[in-house]
Amino acid sequence: QVQLVESGGGLVQAGGSLRLSCAASGHSFISYAVSWFRQAPGKEREFVAAISWSGGTYHADSVKGRFTISRDNAKNTVLLQMNSLKPEDTAVYYCAAKFGSKSYLHYEYNYWGQGTQVTVSS
C-alpha cells in the first residue's frame, strides 16, 4: 500500500547536523502518521519523533530541541532534521508509517523503511 525509502544518513562529528528523508511511493502520506525510530547495536528500538497527517508532532525527550520532524504531503516526504548531534545518537534510523493517529509504539506501525545508518564521532 505504501513503500518507504530512507536516505540522508552518514558520518558526522559531534555537534554537526544531518537531515534524514523518508519518501513514500505506492500511496500518498495523506491520512498516515509517520514516525522515526532508531536502534543502536545491542539496544532496543527507540522512538524518536512522530508526525500526524495534519502536521502535529511529538519528539522524544532525548532529542527534543535538537531534532525536528516535518512533512510535505505534496511531495510525499517526511524529514528529520538532526542538529547538535551526539555520539549517543549513533544508530540505524528507521522511518515507519501507519494509518490514522500517531503513536510512539513501534508495533502499531505497519510500514517500515530499510533504515539508514547515522554515525556520530566524538
Side-chain angles (χ1 to χ4, degrees), residues 1-4 23-32 76 99 111:
Q1 190 171 359
V2 60
Q3 296 83 46
L4 308 177
S25 63
H27 199 282
S28 173
F29 267 144
I30 294 175
S31 298
Y32 286 81
N76 290 333
F99 181 79
Y111 307 101

Side-chain angles (χ1 to χ4, degrees), residues 31-34 96-103 105 108-111:
S31 298
Y32 286 81
V34 179
K98 64 184 289 291
F99 181 79
S101 300
K102 64 183 184 292
S103 171
L105 302 171
E108 293 190 359
Y109 286 80
N110 306 108
Y111 307 101

Side-chain angles (χ1 to χ4, degrees), residues 1-121:
Q1 190 171 359
V2 60
Q3 296 83 46
L4 308 177
V5 179
E6 297 146 311
S7 62
L11 175 63
V12 66
Q13 291 185 327
S17 298
L18 285 172
R19 188 179 75 173
L20 305 184
S21 178
C22 176
S25 63
H27 199 282
S28 173
F29 267 144
I30 294 175
S31 298
Y32 286 81
V34 179
S35 288
W36 288 93
F37 293 84
R38 66 187 183 187
Q39 189 164 18
K43 293 191 174 183
E44 295 293 313
R45 195 177 308 173
E46 178 187 18
F47 171 79
V48 177
I51 188 166
S52 70
W53 67 269
S54 60
T57 63
Y58 176 79
H59 298 79
D61 288 342
S62 60
V63 305
K64 194 173 298 181
R66 300 187 298 120
F67 293 8
T68 303
I69 190 171
S70 62
R71 70 189 300 165
D72 185 340
N73 289 334
K75 297 180 179 179
N76 290 333
T77 300
V78 171
L79 303 175
L80 184 68
Q81 179 66 47
M82 306 187 296
N83 298 326
S84 301
L85 283 162
K86 305 174 181 179
E88 52 262 44
D89 295 319
T90 296
V92 177
Y93 283 70
Y94 298 92
C95 177
K98 64 184 289 291
F99 181 79
S101 300
K102 64 183 184 292
S103 171
Y104 61 86
L105 302 171
H106 66 86
Y107 54 81
E108 293 190 359
Y109 286 80
N110 306 108
Y111 307 101
W112 293 82
Q114 80 286 353
T116 185
Q117 177 70 47
V118 172
T119 303
V120 184
S121 62

